Amino acid sequence: MISSHTLSILVENRPGVLARVSGLFARRGFNITSLAVGETEHPDVSRMTVVLSADGKPVEQCMKQLHKLIHVLRVEELPGDASVDREIALIKVGVGVGKRAEVLEIVEIFRAKVSDMDVDALIVEVTGSPDKVRALTDLLEPYGIIELARTGRIALGRGGRGLKAPTLHPVPIESAS
Amino acid sequence: MTTMTGAQSLIASLERVGTDVVFGIPGGTILPAYDPLRDSSIRHILMRHEQGAGHAAEGYAHVTGRVGVCFATSGPGATNLVTPIADAFMDSVPLVAITGQVPRAAIGNDAFQEADITGITMPVTKHSYKVMDPDEIPTAIAEAFHIASTGRPGPVVVDIPKDVLTSPTAFDFPSTLNLPGYRPTTKPNRRQIRAAADLVREARRPVLYVGGGVFKARAAHELIALAETIGAPVVTTLMARGAFPDSHPLCLGMPGMHGNYAAVTAMQRADLLINLGARFDDRVTGRLDGFAPDAKVIHADIDPAEIGKNRHADVPIVGDAKSVIVELNKAVLGDNSERGRVDLEQWHSEVERWSRDYPFAYDQSEEGPIKPQYVVERFAEATKGDAIIATGVGQHQMWASQMMPLNRPYSWVTSGGLGTMGFAVPAALGAKVGRPDERVVAIDGDGCFQMTAQELATATLEKIPFTVAILNNSHLGMVRQWQELFYDERYSHVHLPQVPDYVMLAEAYGAVGLRAESVADVDGVIDKAMSVDDRPCVIDFRVDAGEMCFPMVPAGASNDEIIVGPNERPYDGVPQAPNEAYQRREEAAS
């Protein structure tokens, strides 16, 4: 059954890692709905949050294969009900003086904010769950959306447990050969 | 710390990791590396095609267990390595491919002979390096060899731009490796071993399903002890031929599409499959939902991604095959001494009946055309099993696996997962370089031979003697067989008329060329070939073009539908021995 999966992946912060990870999804024809990458509390480690829609069994296999990538440190699927997920959207709405008050009212209700304002347009900045962003976009649509940019989803599991990068233990080279 | 060029640092690093031989071809961007190579202890073997270099390195790795190394220049040199890299990936062969790259400033500009080889090979490498700083060369080489040879072995590409090779650097070989994301689990979990031993205890129809992982873990010796402790019949996959001696009474030979009837059927009827380093490949399982319907599964693999991929594992064990075999043997030995050995007599007698009633069979008449199987048998006789056998891919490969008794580990060199035609000649060359004291025989097909025959020049000039037995049926034989069986004998583009003349071709390459056209010729040419020890020898065996490879499980069919020979099926859809699972399925289907 096709459903949405959110994967949290800790990787070494190096060139080429994104290509290796996305290549594994591409090979299976998974469509990536959203992808966000950024440094973690440890500058050598980045966290990738990948949202994809696919069948469960191949996703599980794909996670095992992600684990095999040398620069991948940890892989976890975040359960929808036990994780916090957010994204930021910047929405440029084409409203001049006439309708501006209506838009500002919507922005207020959504606890979004206006980040830029010009005579004939303004940029709304909203943070929230994908559902909230979608709801706001729907409401702003009639006013004319000129441009829209979304960060893609970032997510963390709820509670005290965390996905941690393993401590970096160098291996003596003797055991290498 | 000494100052040197990147190229010198590369060669010094290779010496440090113990490289003794490199197969390669120089070219524009790898040129700087070839200069210090002249002064190195490393032997370089100049191949005629980069694909040959890659397969030779694989052949070397297969028989030595060490990392095979090949060199190629950027662009076409590197892309010619893609096939052997993919081959090494599928068969878990430790391989390090070092490629030149265009200078750093030119990368991405479609420069002359530029190809993004790390990008191209990303899906078929275990890992790869693009070395953009000469100071990083020693670390890249150290890590590449470590990654290629440990865990589940595989190919690693190290791509080095030309100006990185020419830049000055301080040679500083690392004493530690920093690979936090790479920590293969080698020691099996003790609880899983216990659970496996419990399943072994319950089983009345167990089969040891042995794969290439046993070779990679150098565990062939330990395997014999385990098989004898359990008393279970053993099947060795195409990648594991010789891991368990064919002469051992418990050995059933190869399972799968062209496997022994007894091996295939024992797996079908088994109540327990003990998979050691095999991967339930489709060529072994046939149609998955019809495969070994009654069997519980113990699956031991060093690669967790293989476990549960194709077949559910009742007891998954992540670990190195050697540790698993040793630990499981201990556990079963303990149980046996406490509670006595499980009586498997009935199972053995069933299995023996299958072996007896359905051996590999062919019909060699004295006057008729030479049967390919006969040639393999005569080679087995002439070498007394004391030879390394390399093969290409196709009918000849299956006949070699079926008819050649393989009793020693690390003496079987074949392309399994990728099925790379043309593998035999360069792989035999590499095998001979790796183990020069061994006799090496390549059993090849005429289609395969023509794909990489140019390496005979390499073998002649480098004085690398081996025998190439071409089972020449003037066809792409396996494809012809499929067209005969499944395409109503509508033969389409499978005929390879007798061009070139293989004897003349061999002689043109400075090799010995021999030919056998009738049964009476066979032993004579084999004797002659066995006496050649200073250059390669090619024998053109003109064999029966109509001979087909049996048994055969048609692609997509269940292993129960195995065809034993051209005119017979063992049970025309009805099994000889009553089989409950089979009957259940029949009832469910009706």
Side-chain angles (χ1 to χ4, degrees), chain A residues 12 14 16 19-20 27 57 61 64-65 67-74 166-177, chain B residues 122-123 126-129 142 145-147 149-150 152 173-183 303-305 307-309:
Chain A
E12 284 186 71
R14 285 175 186 255
R20 289 176 201 276
R27 177 182 180 186
K57 173 114 177 143
Q61 180 63 21
K64 288 182 178 174
Q65 288 176 333
H67 254 300
K68 287 172 69 172
L69 296 177
I70 308 291
H71 294 321
V72 169
L73 305 171
R74 288 276 189 273
T167 26
L168 310 174
H169 282 307
V171 188
I173 201 127
E174 283 75 41
S175 73
S177 55
Chain B
M122 205 168 272
K126 188 171 174 187
H127 196 50
S128 52
Y129 291 86
F145 275 70
H146 178 65
I147 290 169
S149 59
T150 55
R152 178 180 184 171
F173 198 76
S175 56
T176 58
L177 295 177
N178 194 2
L179 295 165
Y182 179 68
R183 288 177 299 175
D303 179 0
I307 297 176
K309 183 179 78 175

Side-chain angles (χ1 to χ4, degrees), chain B residues 281-534:
Chain B
D281 180 77
D282 55 80
R283 283 305 191 256
V284 165
T285 62
R287 209 183 66 226
L288 253 181
D289 58 11
F291 173 67
D294 285 341
K296 287 195 171 163
V297 169
I298 298 168
H299 191 169
D301 206 298
I302 198 156
D303 179 0
E306 285 302 340
I307 297 176
K309 183 179 78 175
N310 293 335
R311 170 77 181 230
H312 170 74
D314 298 277
V315 178
I317 307 176
V318 180
D320 162 87
K322 193 181 217 156
S323 311
V324 172
I325 289 171
V326 168
E327 294 304 317
L328 184 57
N329 190 36
K330 266 191 229 159
V332 177
L333 271 179
D335 291 353
N336 285 358
S337 68
E338 236 173 76
R339 300 159 65 188
R341 246 179 96 140
V342 181
D343 179 14
L344 300 175
E345 257 330 292
Q346 203 190 332
W347 178 228
H348 283 299
S349 67
E350 259 184 278
V351 171
E352 272 158 31
R353 186 165 57 81
W354 295 324
S355 286
R356 196 178 55 238
D357 292 351
Y358 300 102
F360 290 124
Y362 68 97
D363 197 6
Q364 178 67 68
S365 70
E366 260 175 59
E367 299 304 313
I370 307 172
K371 295 289 182 180
Q373 299 97 319
Y374 178 73
V375 175
V376 178
E377 278 201 325
R378 297 316 298 162
F379 263 103
E381 180 65 30
T383 59
K384 301 273 177 252
D386 198 16
I388 289 171
I389 307 296
T391 80
V393 171
Q395 285 181 318
H396 70 274
Q397 177 191 31
M398 293 296 110
W399 284 318
S401 176
Q402 291 177 346
M403 311 306 293
M404 185 64 77
L406 294 160
N407 294 317
R408 298 180 314 158
Y410 322 113
S411 52
W412 172 249
V413 183
T414 198
S415 166
L418 195 67
T420 308
M421 286 179 68
F423 183 76
V425 172
L429 185 152
K432 182 69 182 175
V433 170
R435 302 238 306 264
D437 298 336
E438 294 276 346
R439 182 186 295 287
V440 176
V441 177
I443 293 178
D444 214 354
D446 50 317
C448 280
F449 177 76
Q450 293 191 61
M451 291 188 178
T452 48
Q454 78 284 344
E455 301 308 341
L456 289 173
T458 311
T460 298
L461 292 169
E462 294 277 343
K463 300 205 174 1
I464 303 166
F466 55 90
T467 304
V468 184
I470 306 175
L471 305 185
N472 175 5
N473 57 9
S474 65
H475 277 87
L476 296 166
M478 190 60 93
V479 185
R480 201 207 71 94
Q481 175 169 342
W482 283 49
Q483 289 179 348
E484 178 169 345
L485 292 173
F486 311 122
Y487 290 85
D488 295 330
E489 300 180 40
R490 283 165 53 83
Y491 299 114
S492 179
H493 301 276
V494 286
H495 188 213
L496 305 171
Q498 296 298 0
V499 174
D501 179 317
Y502 295 109
V503 173
M504 287 170 69
L505 182 73
E507 285 168 356
Y509 277 124
V512 175
L514 302 168
R515 176 171 293 132
E517 287 177 294
S518 69
V519 178
D521 298 341
V522 172
D523 283 353
V525 292
I526 292 177
D527 280 350
K528 230 179 254 170
M530 296 287 113
S531 68
V532 178
D533 61 0
D534 59 344

Side-chain angles (χ1 to χ4, degrees), chain A:
Chain A
M1 198 191 64
I2 305 284
S3 54
S4 174
H5 302 264
T6 305
L7 304 185
S8 190
I9 309 166
L10 290 181
V11 300
E12 284 186 71
N13 188 0
R14 285 175 186 255
V17 179
L18 179 59
R20 289 176 201 276
V21 169
S22 60
L24 274 182
F25 296 119
R27 177 182 180 186
R28 289 171 175 274
F30 291 167
N31 188 22
I32 296 175
T33 318
S34 141
L35 172 73
V37 192
E39 272 180 21
T40 61
E41 72 280 10
H42 196 310
D44 293 341
V45 177
S46 297
R47 182 185 297 269
M48 291 186 183
T49 309
V50 183
V51 182
L52 42 92
S53 33
D55 197 22
K57 173 114 177 143
V59 169
E60 202 186 309
Q61 180 63 21
C62 198
M63 284 170 66
K64 288 182 178 174
Q65 288 176 333
L66 281 169
H67 254 300
K68 287 172 69 172
L69 296 177
I70 308 291
H71 294 321
V72 169
L73 305 171
R74 288 276 189 273
V75 184
E76 187 181 58
E77 179 167 4
L78 295 174
D81 52 351
S83 61
V84 174
D85 50 352
R86 293 286 181 271
E87 65 177 311
I88 297 178
L90 296 175
I91 310 164
K92 190 184 284 179
V93 191
V95 287
V97 190
K99 300 260 183 178
R100 195 182 278 158
E102 289 177 30
V103 170
L104 289 178
E105 196 182 333
I106 296 170
V107 166
E108 183 75 9
I109 291 166
F110 274 79
R111 295 201 190 127
K113 62 180 182 183
V114 174
S115 299
D116 182 65
M117 195 184 287
D118 204 347
V119 280
D120 53 0
L122 51 81
I123 295 178
V124 177
E125 177 187 329
V126 61
T127 304
S129 69
D131 283 347
K132 175 178 169 181
V133 173
R134 200 174 311 117
L136 176 60
T137 324
D138 287 350
L139 283 174
L140 292 177
E141 184 69 53
Y143 299 96
I145 294 176
I146 299 172
E147 278 188 301
L148 187 144
R150 296 164 79 152
T151 53
R153 211 178 303 177
I154 55 167
L156 289 178
R158 291 183 188 273
R161 213 180 55 81
L163 192 62
K164 279 281 190 188
T167 26
L168 310 174
H169 282 307
V171 188
I173 201 127
E174 283 75 41
S175 73
S177 55

